[in-house]
Amino acid sequence: MSRFDRYLLSQLLMLFGFFSLVLVAVYWVNRAVTLFDRLIGDGQTALVFLELTALTLPNVIRLVLPVAAFAASAYVTNRLSTESELVVMQATGFSAFRLARPVLAFGLIVAAMMAVLVNVLVPASRVALDVRQAAISENVTARFLRDGVFQFPADGVTFYIREITETGELRDIFLSDARSSTSRTSYTAKRALLARSPSGPKLVLFEGMAQTLTLDDLRLAVTRFENFTYDLGAVLSPTALGLRDEASLSTAALLRAGPEEQALTRKSRALLLYEGHYRIAQPFLATAAALIGFSSLMVGAFSRFGLWKQLLGGALGLVLVQMVANSTETLAVRDERLWPLVWAAPLVGAGLSLVLLWLSQRPHGLFRRRRPA
């Protein structure tokens, strides 16, 4: 690389680190406040709060890196233009495409960072977060049980305990499970105990009855039992059912998207394929954002009023790329054959940058006015 390329790349990386730090701090604090209220309300310690917020940090960084790349390239280009450094380089014969070479290298460096995040760090952090939340849910279950109050731990589930003894025994239990679309089941028992197991907390009912109403033919089946085990952890946490979010799966598993992965996540093959290929294409959105931030400010002549028109145009270009990404996601998750649409947003961003760089080469650019002779 030439000395100018190294100089411009160092400026971009320095400002990129600054904007990334600021955006991550703002976004992280916003997320942490909500998490803090929920954890402290459940009686968790500050150490648990710090652990969970640390596990959510890789995903936060993934979200802000493209914006930080755009802000860094736009800020550096604006400063070099104001200080006439870009004018001097153009006077020596550097074209707009030649000036964009260090910006492209900067965008590829940010893309490499994002590739490590989306394919390694984010899935690993989501797995650790699911395990930690499952462990916390078991502790929450014990505090969740209160006597004399109707409680609704999940949609369609009603739970009531008349009395909790000093030894932890539950007296006179009523439990209604209406989560199924075909039947409704109500459990009553004289006493119950809360037991822990590797798969989550269990509610052991003694001397009770189960009444199951079939909604199709309105038949009622009554079963009396001496003891019965109800999976209470599955009601409070989806992880107790063994389900996993697609974000916690590896990229190879998403690209495979076989019956095992579909059963594990209860998601369609089209959605899993889109998520897997999007992890490969998503890092290049940061490259496109950096190029848009640079090329949009190269269009137009120097103005004492600043480059606010170019900045606004670059921001609108970034919004356009994100709109393309959202639209292609809507289409790709419906048909598994449309997964190549994940590359539409990066290609649109790269194409927009090339058009802007070409316009900046013209004698009368997009924001330049013709002066009378």
Side-chain angles (χ1 to χ4, degrees):
M1 299 182 69
S2 66
R3 180 176 299 180
F4 175 77
D5 290 347
R6 292 196 300 269
Y7 167 72
L8 183 56
L9 182 59
S10 64
Q11 295 294 313
L12 289 170
L13 290 175
M14 182 177 62
L15 269 298
F16 170 73
F18 170 75
F19 283 115
S20 298
L21 184 62
V22 172
L23 292 175
V24 167
V26 172
Y27 198 92
W28 179 76
V29 168
N30 188 27
R31 296 281 298 272
V33 169
T34 304
L35 185 62
F36 180 81
D37 292 338
R38 181 165 59 87
L39 291 177
I40 298 302
D42 291 337
Q44 301 298 326
T45 63
L47 184 62
V48 175
F49 164 74
L50 293 177
E51 182 181 359
L52 293 184
T53 51
L55 290 175
T56 59
L57 200 56
N59 189 52
V60 173
I61 298 175
R62 174 188 67 86
L63 294 174
V64 304
L65 282 189
V67 181
F70 171 81
S73 62
Y75 184 88
V76 171
T77 306
N78 184 35
R79 191 182 67 183
L80 294 182
S81 177
T82 303
E83 297 175 356
S84 301
E85 294 183 65
L86 289 180
V87 177
V88 172
M89 296 307 300
Q90 287 176 318
T92 61
F94 275 44
S95 66
F97 292 95
R98 174 61 183 83
L99 291 173
R101 191 168 73 178
V103 181
L104 177 61
F106 163 68
L108 293 177
I109 292 174
V110 179
M113 297 179 185
M114 283 197 64
V116 175
L117 278 170
V118 300
N119 292 286
V120 180
L121 297 181
V122 172
S125 65
R126 291 299 297 266
V127 171
L129 185 62
D130 290 342
V131 173
R132 194 68 183 92
Q133 287 180 338
I136 292 175
S137 66
E138 293 187 7
N139 297 330
V140 173
T141 303
R143 288 190 298 272
F144 177 80
L145 301 178
R146 292 180 296 171
D147 54 352
V149 179
F150 280 95
Q151 300 169 83
F152 308 93
D155 293 338
V157 178
T158 304
F159 191 46
Y160 177 81
I161 306 170
R162 185 183 64 82
E163 180 187 2
I164 301 178
T165 64
E166 296 180 357
T167 59
E169 186 181 34
L170 313 180
R171 300 285 181 83
D172 296 335
I173 310 301
F174 172 76
L175 176 61
S176 176
D177 191 344
R179 292 176 296 169
S180 175
S181 59
T182 59
S183 62
R184 301 288 186 269
T185 304
S186 298
Y187 303 92
T188 55
K190 291 184 178 180
R191 54 192 181 91
L193 294 175
L194 186 64
R196 294 188 178 183
S197 67
S199 60
K202 310 291 184 182
L203 187 65
V204 184
L205 305 173
F206 299 96
E207 302 178 28
M209 178 176 59
Q211 303 178 65
T212 303
L213 176 64
T214 305
L215 300 180
D216 294 337
D217 51 8
L218 297 180
R219 288 188 176 183
L220 180 64
V222 179
T223 304
R224 300 184 183 274
F225 56 81
E226 291 294 329
N227 56 78
F228 178 80
T229 302
Y230 185 84
D231 189 0
L232 193 58
V235 176
L236 298 178
S237 175
T239 56
L241 292 172
L243 299 180
R244 292 180 61 182
D245 188 9
E246 66 273 10
S248 63
L249 296 180
S250 65
T251 303
L254 290 173
L255 294 176
R256 185 168 56 247
E260 181 180 352
E261 286 76 20
Q262 296 178 50
L264 192 62
T265 59
R266 290 187 181 177
K267 299 295 177 61
S268 65
R269 175 178 169 81
L271 190 146
L272 296 180
L273 284 175
Y274 172 83
E275 181 67 23
H277 289 281
Y278 185 66
R279 288 186 184 180
I280 301 175
Q282 186 181 13
F284 295 98
L285 288 176
T287 306
L291 290 173
I292 290 174
F294 173 78
S295 59
S296 61
L297 268 73
M298 292 295 295
V299 179
F302 174 78
S303 175
R304 295 179 180 178
F305 297 101
L307 301 177
W308 64 270
K309 291 182 179 180
Q310 290 88 331
L311 286 172
L312 180 60
L316 292 177
L318 200 62
V319 172
L320 173 64
V321 172
Q322 187 59 44
M323 290 176 60
V324 172
N326 295 338
S327 301
T328 55
E329 178 183 3
T330 304
L331 296 174
V333 297
R334 296 177 181 176
D335 191 345
E336 62 184 55
R337 296 171 298 179
L338 298 180
W339 64 261
L341 290 177
V342 299
W343 294 98
L347 291 177
V348 168
L352 180 61
S353 302
L354 291 176
V355 171
L356 293 175
L357 290 174
W358 176 75
L359 288 175
S360 66
Q361 300 275 86
R362 302 181 62 188
H364 299 280
L366 187 62
F367 295 105
R368 293 174 179 165
R369 296 181 179 178
R370 293 178 179 269
R371 294 184 177 180

